[in-house]
Amino acid sequence: MDKLEFIKEQLKNYDGEDLRFMEVCGTHTAAISENGIPNLLSPKIHLISGPGCPVCVTVTAVIDKLTELSLTENTTVLTFGDLIRVKGSKMSLADARANGGKVEMLYSPMDAIKMAQSNPDRNYVFAAIGFETTTPVYAMVLENAIKAGVHNLKLLTSLKTMPEVIRWVCKNTDNIDGFIAPGHVSVITGSDLFKELSEETGLPFAVAGFEGAGLLTAIYALVKMKGKAGIKNFYRSAVSEKGNEEARKAVNRFFEPCDASWRGMGTIEGSGMRLKKEYSEYDAGSYGLDEDHMPPGCSCSRVLTGEISPDECPLFGKKCTPEDAHGACMVSTEGSCYNYFISGRRKR
C-alpha cells in the first residue's frame, strides 16, 4: 500500500472523537469540492469553510459604492468576475450595468492601465478586493500607473489580511480543532506566520496546495496533531518559511494596516490594508465603507464562521441558488454555499 492509499484508509476509518477543521481559502473550498474530499473522510471528520473567499467577506457598503461610481458620469468601474453579481443593499454591479452603469470585467490587472491610457478623459475605478495574495497585484498596478503618469485610474479598496480574522474565529468559537492554512496567502506571508498563530491559539495548522493528494495529506496531519500546536508545510514547492519578501515590500510601499469590516463579522481591528496618505489621490473613496446588509433570511454570517453548514441556511437551494444568488457565499465559485450546492453535499 502506497502512502496516499494509507492516508485515505486512515481518514476513512477514523473512529476517534469528532474533529472540525477549517479551511480559510476560497481556492481550497473549491478544490475540496472538486476532488470529492468530504466523501473520502470518516463521518467524524468535518471540514468547515471559513472566511477565506474575498468576495464573500466584502460588505455591502463596498458594493454600494462601486455601483454608485459606475452610475457616475464619465466613470467606469473595473473588476474581476464574481464581484459583478454580488448584491449590495440595493443592487449588484450587474444590475447597475443593466441600468446604464459602466462596468467592465478585467482578465489582467495591467489592462486597467491600458484602458486608462487609451481614454485619458475618462475616470476608471479598479475594485481592489482580496487578501495578501492579490494586494501585491494592486501595488504593481499603482507602481506602473505612477511610472506611466496615469492619473485617471483609482482604486476602491477592500483588502483583508488573514492573521486577525483567524484570531477572531478562535476567540468567537470553541469548536475548531485545526486549520488548513491558505496556500496562496502562504506564498506571500510564509509559513512562519501560521507558526505564530498556532502558538497563540494552541491549534495545529497545515499549509496545503490545491491537489487532492496534498489536501488529504494536510488533513491527515491535522488528525495526528489533534490537541497539539504546530505547523506543517505540505506545499514546499511554492511556500517557504519567510514567504515572498519582495512582494511584501511592494505592498508596504503603498499600503498600511487598518481596521476592516467583514461580512457577518463586523469590524476586526488591524485586519485590513489601505492606501497610505501619500497615495490618497489614487483612492476612489474607500474610507468608512462599513455598513453591511444581509438579505432577509440570509445566514451568510453564520456560514462564514462555521456556525452552521450552508444547507442549514433557510434560503439554501430554495430562494438562493447559483442562478439566483441572494448571498455572496452562493455567488462566488469560491464560496462555501456555491460549492456545497454544486457538489450535492447536504447535512444528514
Side-chain angles (χ1 to χ4, degrees):
M1 182 183 297
D2 65 21
K3 184 176 180 180
L4 180 58
E5 289 303 315
F6 172 80
I7 289 173
K8 287 182 178 179
E9 182 179 275
Q10 292 295 305
L11 291 176
K12 190 67 176 177
N13 296 323
Y14 172 79
D15 195 31
E17 61 183 289
D18 278 36
L19 298 174
R20 290 164 56 89
F21 302 131
M22 176 176 280
E23 89 267 1
V24 281
C25 170
T27 311
H28 276 160
T29 299
I32 287 168
S33 176
E34 289 166 4
N35 286 280
I37 287 178
N39 296 325
L40 302 177
L41 306 178
S42 159
K44 293 193 171 186
I45 300 175
H46 309 274
L47 299 185
I48 307 160
S49 298
C53 162
V55 170
C56 301
V57 299
T58 299
V59 296
T60 52
V62 173
I63 307 300
D64 290 344
K65 182 66 177 180
L66 288 169
T67 58
E68 174 192 324
L69 289 166
S70 75
L71 292 162
T72 302
E73 185 178 357
N74 201 40
T75 301
T76 297
V77 169
L78 307 174
T79 182
F80 296 126
D82 289 343
L83 194 70
I84 289 178
R85 295 177 55 230
V86 176
K87 288 181 172 66
S89 62
K90 297 178 181 178
M91 68 177 81
S92 66
L93 282 170
D95 296 327
R97 185 164 59 183
N99 284 289
K102 300 299 182 183
V103 181
E104 295 196 31
M105 189 167 70
L106 293 180
Y107 295 95
S108 167
M110 299 311 293
D111 287 345
I113 296 174
K114 293 177 183 177
M115 294 172 73
Q117 286 177 313
S118 299
N119 301 278
D121 295 325
R122 187 167 189 81
N123 298 315
Y124 290 87
V125 176
F126 192 174
I129 310 295
F131 287 97
E132 290 96 336
T133 310
T134 49
T135 306
V137 172
Y138 303 124
M140 178 184 68
V141 169
L142 275 176
E143 182 177 17
N144 282 275
I146 291 169
K147 285 181 180 178
V150 173
H151 296 284
N152 59 325
L153 174 64
K154 298 181 184 292
L155 303 184
L156 196 289
T157 61
S158 180
L159 299 169
K160 308 291 199 295
T161 53
M162 267 295 153
E164 293 307 323
V165 74
I166 291 176
R167 290 186 177 99
W168 188 95
V169 168
C170 291
K171 288 176 182 177
N172 287 275
T173 182
D174 59 359
N175 59 358
I176 305 297
D177 297 298
F179 287 89
I180 303 173
H184 291 319
V185 166
S186 299
V187 172
I188 304 299
T189 66
S191 60
D192 274 0
L193 176 70
F194 300 102
K195 180 180 179 181
E196 180 180 336
L197 281 169
S198 178
E199 291 171 352
E200 288 182 24
T201 61
L203 296 173
F205 284 71
V207 180
F210 306 97
E211 299 296 326
L215 284 163
L216 286 170
T217 301
I219 294 165
Y220 179 63
L222 291 174
V223 172
K224 299 294 286 183
M225 295 166 71
K226 169 65 174 76
K228 299 177 183 177
I231 173 73
K232 299 285 186 180
N233 182 3
F234 299 103
Y235 195 27
R236 293 187 178 276
S237 61
V239 175
S240 64
E241 291 181 352
K242 302 301 179 184
N244 188 329
E245 294 186 19
E246 288 302 313
R248 293 201 301 275
K249 284 180 183 178
V251 168
N252 291 335
R253 175 186 170 188
F254 295 102
F255 298 96
E256 62 185 5
C258 65
D259 299 345
S261 293
W262 296 67
R263 187 164 178 78
M265 288 170 274
T267 299
I268 300 177
E269 186 176 350
S271 65
M273 298 292 282
R274 67 185 179 191
L275 280 167
K276 290 183 175 179
K277 289 183 179 179
E278 54 261 45
Y279 300 105
S280 59
E281 68 173 288
Y282 293 96
D283 184 82
S286 308
Y287 294 84
L289 301 180
D290 302 321
E291 290 189 20
D292 196 25
H293 299 277
M294 293 283 178
C298 177
S299 301
C300 271
S301 59
R302 300 176 69 196
V303 170
L304 281 167
T305 56
E307 184 180 342
I308 64 172
S309 62
D311 63 327
E312 290 179 291
C313 172
L315 302 185
F316 181 86
K318 301 179 183 72
K319 291 186 177 181
C320 187
T321 66
E323 292 74 29
D324 184 22
H326 283 237
C329 296
M330 187 66 88
V331 173
S332 175
T333 56
E334 294 188 344
S336 54
C337 293
Y338 175 89
N339 282 281
Y340 227 78
F341 186 92
I342 64 168
S343 67
R345 288 169 61 190
R346 298 290 188 274
K347 186 178 178 66
R348 291 181 174 86

